[in-house]
């Protein structure tokens, strides 16, 4: 049985999973990102990010707020794709090679500037949604009925598995909840009610943030909006007061636990805003002002809006511009995309700024948040090796 080993590094500690131990090269743990505040002069990573953004052209800022995707496992092709300056890349199943060593080589190849690596993301929820080989730990299908400590253990192992592959962002924490086993999201939810979901979401967040930037999804809550957002825009008439007492609770718990990213779902709470939350300034305001979220706001796959069949969302570039305008800091598109899609989206965002239809300050704010997170992650370096005889953690 493999065990944990804790390596103390000054005032910080990096925790290795049950199957891993970190080498002494680990230097710093990831901290939740802090956006540049107009009320206070930024310091640390935020100050560095602010300086970088001020030196960038509008086109460079726009590329920074786009997370791209192409299929394939050729490190040379993926490196060439990332050489355009995109802020991130999401790995899907078609990007995962047979061995872990090959995956590590692939993720390393995508880092053009070691001082400022891109955000490399994956959907590794475990169970129903798994991209990586070797994740045999408990997932939402069983964790919702088990003690909270089991969620901590499972996501500690999961987070370290993801991190050792060179992946820095996990879109892996489902903060939605529902008691209806017939719904789309039930099997992926960590709880069947607000309180049980909140406990497990907080545990999963705390566990993963030791290793990488974790993400809460699908804000403001898929449980109340029945339907599959991969092919429609699920809606609910739930009002804001009821939402605060129910769907908001697990998201608030995850934010308080330090989640670095918040993913906005293509969900319409029509009593709050007719627009899907991913394109809603109102929902971004609520997350920032009411829940105190200060990290990176990211869209769910914008390709899902195309798949909804709604003609209002037929233009992927327009969707990207609208998403940034609404308050997202990072736009993501997978379904329906090709090797040129991310570049077109970045160009469209830049054009909107130059035309005056997207405020330059909004793009700068988004780019600063993304670069703050990238700067923080660049300070965290750990080389992972299999460890069969690690001592238990304190």
């Amino acid at each position: 049985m493999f065990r944990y080993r804790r390596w103390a590094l000054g005032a910080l500690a990096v925790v290795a999973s049950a199957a891993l131990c970190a080498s002494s090269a680990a230097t710093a743990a990831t901290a939740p990102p802090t956006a540049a505040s107009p009320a206070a002069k930024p310091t640390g990573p935020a100050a560095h990010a602010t300086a970088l953004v001020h030196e960038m052209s509008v086109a460079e800022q726009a590329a920074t707020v786009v997370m791209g995707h192409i299929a394939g496992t050729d490190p040379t092709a993926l490196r060439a794709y990332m050489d355009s300056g995109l802020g991130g890349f999401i790995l899907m199943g078609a990007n995962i090679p047979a061995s872990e060593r090959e995956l590590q080589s692939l993720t390393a190849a995508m880092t053009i500037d070691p001082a400022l690596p891109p955000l490399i993301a994956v959907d590794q929820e475990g169970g129903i949604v798994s991209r990586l080989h070797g994740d045999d730990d408990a997932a939402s299908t069983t964790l919702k009925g088990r003690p909270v400590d089991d969620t901590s253990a499972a996501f500690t192992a999961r987070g370290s598995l993801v991190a050792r592959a060179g992946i820095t962002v996990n879109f892996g924490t489902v903060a939605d909840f529902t008691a209806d086993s017939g719904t789309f999201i039930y099997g992926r939810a960590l709880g069947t009610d607000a309180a049980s979901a909140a406990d497990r979401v907080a545990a999963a967040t705390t566990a993963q943030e030791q290793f990488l930037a974790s993400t809460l999804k699908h804000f403001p809550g898929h449980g109340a909006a029945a339907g599959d957002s991969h092919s429609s825009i699920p809606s609910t008439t739930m009002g804001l007061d009821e939402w605060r007492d129910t769907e908001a609770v697990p998201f608030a718990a995850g934010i308080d636990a330090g989640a670095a990213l918040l993913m906005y779902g293509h969900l319409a709470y029509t009593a709050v805003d007719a627009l899907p939350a991913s394109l809603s300034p109102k929902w971004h305001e609520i997350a920032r002002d009411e829940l105190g979220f200060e990290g990176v706001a990211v869209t769910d796959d914008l390709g899902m809006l195309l798949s909804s069949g709604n003609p209002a969302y037929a233009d992927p570039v327009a969707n990207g511009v609208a998403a940034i305008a609404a308050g997202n800091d990072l736009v993501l598109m997978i379904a329906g995309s090709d090797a040129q899609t991310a570049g077109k989206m970045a160009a469209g965002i830049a054009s909107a700024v130059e035309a005056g239809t997207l405020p330059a300050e909004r793009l700068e704010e988004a780019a600063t948040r993304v670069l703050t997170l990238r700067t923080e992650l660049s300070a965290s370096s750990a080389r992972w090796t299999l460890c069969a005889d690690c001592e238990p953690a304190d």
Side-chain angles (χ1 to χ4, degrees):
M1 181 68 178
F2 298 136
R3 297 178 183 273
Y4 299 122
R5 174 177 290 166
R6 186 184 303 271
W7 293 84
L9 300 170
L12 299 173
V14 176
V15 183
S17 76
L20 306 166
C21 63
S23 78
S24 58
T27 56
T30 301
T34 303
S37 170
K41 187 175 181 179
T43 59
H48 181 56
T50 300
L52 289 174
V53 169
H54 287 165
E55 294 171 358
M56 286 179 165
S57 67
V58 170
E60 289 170 332
Q61 292 173 11
T64 294
V65 303
V66 176
M67 176 170 278
H69 171 76
I70 54 172
T73 58
D74 180 356
T76 301
L78 292 175
R79 184 176 181 83
Y81 178 76
M82 293 304 294
D83 200 33
S84 64
L86 295 176
F89 186 94
I90 181 169
L91 297 163
M92 301 298 287
N95 298 119
I96 309 301
S99 73
E100 183 177 81
R101 188 177 299 276
E102 289 174 296
L103 179 55
Q104 290 168 339
S105 296
L106 185 149
T107 55
M110 287 192 283
T111 296
I112 308 301
D113 178 3
L116 192 66
L119 301 178
I120 300 178
V122 71
D123 287 307
Q124 189 63 27
E125 300 172 16
I128 294 172
V129 178
S130 286
R131 311 293 187 213
L132 305 187
H133 308 306
D135 186 349
D136 299 320
D137 295 283
S140 54
T141 49
T142 58
L143 288 173
K144 58 169 58 72
R146 292 165 60 171
V148 175
D149 284 349
D150 288 2
T151 297
S152 296
F155 278 90
T156 295
R158 185 161 294 127
S160 59
L161 174 70
V162 173
R164 85 180 188 208
I167 300 166
T168 53
V169 174
N170 189 17
F171 295 146
T173 310
V174 175
D176 314 303
F177 72 87
T178 180
D180 184 352
S181 61
T183 60
F184 157 74
I185 205 66
Y186 177 83
R188 296 167 59 191
L190 288 168
T192 57
D193 59 75
S196 67
D199 288 344
R200 288 161 181 79
V201 166
T205 299
T206 300
Q208 291 176 91
E209 287 286 334
Q210 299 173 100
F211 307 104
L212 47 73
S214 70
T215 309
L216 307 172
K217 63 185 184 184
H218 308 80
F219 188 78
H222 219 312
D228 186 344
S229 54
H230 290 87
S231 56
S232 65
I233 301 175
S235 66
T236 176
T237 57
M238 178 181 285
L240 198 53
D241 287 342
E242 184 179 359
W243 172 83
R244 291 185 179 109
D245 292 336
T246 55
E247 310 300 313
V249 176
F251 288 98
I255 289 169
D256 288 346
L261 298 98
L262 180 64
M263 178 177 281
Y264 284 72
H266 306 307
L267 315 168
Y269 279 62
T270 56
V272 180
D273 192 339
L275 291 169
S278 53
L279 304 181
S280 166
K282 179 63 175 177
W283 278 113
H284 285 80
E285 178 184 312
I286 290 168
R288 300 289 184 191
D289 295 348
E290 292 197 23
L291 301 188
F293 180 65
E294 297 181 338
V296 172
V298 57
T299 68
D300 203 347
D301 174 14
L302 290 175
M304 294 159 63
L305 288 176
L306 302 182
S307 302
S308 74
N310 187 325
Y313 308 121
D315 182 347
V317 172
N319 294 339
V321 173
I324 295 296
N328 290 285
D329 306 307
L330 189 63
V331 293
L332 169 67
M333 183 165 169
I334 307 163
S337 65
D338 59 27
Q340 287 74 48
T341 301
K344 290 177 180 177
M345 191 167 288
I349 292 168
S351 294
V353 170
E354 291 163 355
T357 55
L358 175 65
E361 295 80 7
R362 172 78 275 273
L363 176 58
E364 291 173 3
E365 178 185 52
T368 300
R369 287 202 184 105
V370 172
L371 285 172
T372 297
L373 181 57
R374 290 173 63 185
T375 299
E376 288 170 344
L377 292 171
S378 73
S380 177
S381 61
R383 290 194 297 271
W384 302 98
T385 57
L386 290 173
C387 179
D389 59 353
C390 291
E391 296 298 321
D394 293 335

